[in-house]
Amino acid sequence: MDLVLRRRAFGALALAAAAPAAARAQGAWPDRPVRLIVPFGAGGAVDTLSRTVANAFPQHANGQPMVVENRSGAGGTIAGGVVATSRPDGYTLMMADLGANAIGKLLQPGLGYDPLTAFAPIIHLVNLPLVIVARPGLEAATLPQLIELAKRRNGEMTYASPGVGHASHLSAELLARRAGIRWTAVHYRSGADVMRSVIQGETDFTMPSVSTSLPFIRDNRVKALAVSTANPVASLPGVPPVAATYAGFASATWHGVVGPAGMPAELVVAANRALRAIITTPSVKEQTERVQAAEVVAGTPEEFASFIRAEAEKWEPVIREGNIRAE
């Protein structure tokens, strides 16, 4: 009996001694480079945001670098699959996007992971407003004129999209539902191709992020009709929100950071703390707002999880009733 008691006492002492060491190990995150998987190619809005975050990461993460890794394809779900099957150790993270991290299963029923259960939400970084831009020769200079023209053309009006299920695509379809009209999506491989198609008159309009289209608007190569956010956008003075015509309309591209499901809570908190410090640093916040017309969100992991679920619920009827599929 004494031997048993001594063994139990020794075991308790060992656990007590190990606890501070474990706490120190968790508190040391990161102690090596962190990968940030980006679901689209280099040069776009999400890539710009990712590299802004990565550049500031060492200052808030024990000097460790963040390595940006672009994994484009399949509407972001290739990147999603990589992260969903990675070890939940805090060293593989993902720049989250609507398709890969909220609605992928709705668009691709055969997708190998469920976006709503495969990830640990860490932080909602930004919302990026969209803007309706039309080709210069289109006989519409306002949103009401665009809708009236679409009614007359009865489904023959075309709009460019960077992919099935992208926020630009779904926002245009949501607007069509609100207006009671039809128009036709033409999907391209990138935001650059989308803008080229509108400028060259291949398509009638598109609904890209403000940051993607702003240089072309300022050069009068396309004309801005309305922004997607509830309020006007400072970088586009005089351009009204869609909500001025259709009350309550609001949409945006959003991005945040997630990790694989199963990440320990302490790692989620540590990653949230570092990333929140980055995105709210005055210089980073100012650059993101100025260059990308972004709304900086920050917030908690729980708030981001709730937001992602709400986005899936918001877009499900648009996808279902429009029979939108990426397969």
Side-chain angles (χ1 to χ4, degrees):
M1 180 63 72
D2 288 345
L3 180 60
V4 172
L5 290 173
R6 283 197 298 273
R7 284 176 175 171
R8 287 178 176 171
F10 178 80
L13 287 171
L15 286 172
R24 286 194 299 274
Q26 291 169 352
W29 178 93
D31 61 8
R32 61 181 188 272
V34 174
R35 286 197 308 164
L36 181 67
I37 308 297
V38 179
F40 297 101
V46 62
D47 183 66
T48 298
L49 175 66
S50 299
R51 294 179 189 280
T52 298
V53 170
N55 288 340
F57 188 74
Q59 304 167 39
H60 302 276
N62 303 324
Q64 296 297 328
M66 173 173 275
V67 180
V68 174
E69 187 174 317
N70 298 91
R71 292 287 190 99
S72 61
T77 58
I78 289 176
V82 169
V83 177
T85 55
S86 295
R87 290 183 59 188
D89 58 7
Y91 291 94
T92 299
L93 304 178
M94 178 178 180
M95 185 62 75
D97 178 76
L98 175 66
N101 303 99
I103 61 172
K105 196 76 170 175
L106 298 171
L107 296 168
Q108 304 178 48
L111 188 64
Y113 69 90
D114 185 343
L116 298 181
T117 60
F119 303 102
I122 294 172
I123 188 168
H124 183 178
L125 292 173
V126 301
N127 294 325
L128 301 178
L130 308 177
V131 56
I132 299 172
V133 295
R135 59 181 175 85
L138 191 69
E139 306 88 349
T142 66
L143 177 58
Q145 290 174 359
L146 180 73
I147 300 300
E148 183 58 34
L149 183 60
K151 288 178 179 177
R152 295 202 305 269
R153 293 177 62 175
N154 193 27
E156 294 181 358
M157 179 173 285
T158 58
Y159 70 92
S161 152
V164 176
H166 190 277
S168 296
H169 175 210
L170 296 181
S171 295
E173 290 302 311
L174 178 60
L175 178 56
R177 291 180 72 215
R178 289 293 306 274
I181 59 172
R182 294 185 303 111
W183 39 40
T184 301
V186 181
H187 300 294
Y188 292 84
R189 295 181 60 88
S190 69
D193 287 337
V194 163
M195 294 306 302
R196 179 197 54 76
S197 79
V198 176
I199 291 168
Q200 295 183 356
E202 290 177 7
T203 53
D204 292 315
F205 75 97
T206 185
M207 206 166 174
S209 68
V210 170
S211 60
T212 296
S213 56
L214 193 57
F216 304 103
I217 295 170
R218 287 175 172 166
D219 286 347
N220 295 315
R221 301 178 74 185
V222 293
K223 49 188 177 183
L225 308 187
V227 294
S228 69
T229 45
N231 299 309
V233 174
S235 57
L236 289 174
V239 179
V242 174
T245 303
Y246 298 100
F249 185 98
S251 68
T253 300
W254 53 263
H255 298 296
V257 176
V258 300
M263 273 183 67
E266 310 83 58
L267 286 180
V268 172
V269 169
N272 175 276
R273 184 185 305 116
L275 293 164
R276 187 172 67 248
I278 291 169
I279 202 64
T280 58
T281 297
S283 59
V284 173
K285 184 173 184 290
E286 187 276 334
Q287 178 185 356
T288 304
E289 291 173 341
R290 174 174 48 82
V291 174
Q292 297 196 276
E295 173 199 4
V296 172
V297 181
T300 67
E302 294 77 16
E303 288 168 340
F304 193 28
S306 296
F307 174 83
I308 291 172
R309 287 193 298 271
E311 283 289 284
E313 292 169 1
K314 171 182 178 177
W315 294 114
E316 181 177 8
V318 178
I319 294 167
R320 185 181 64 251
E321 293 170 20
N323 195 29
I324 298 171
R325 290 287 182 270
E327 294 180 321

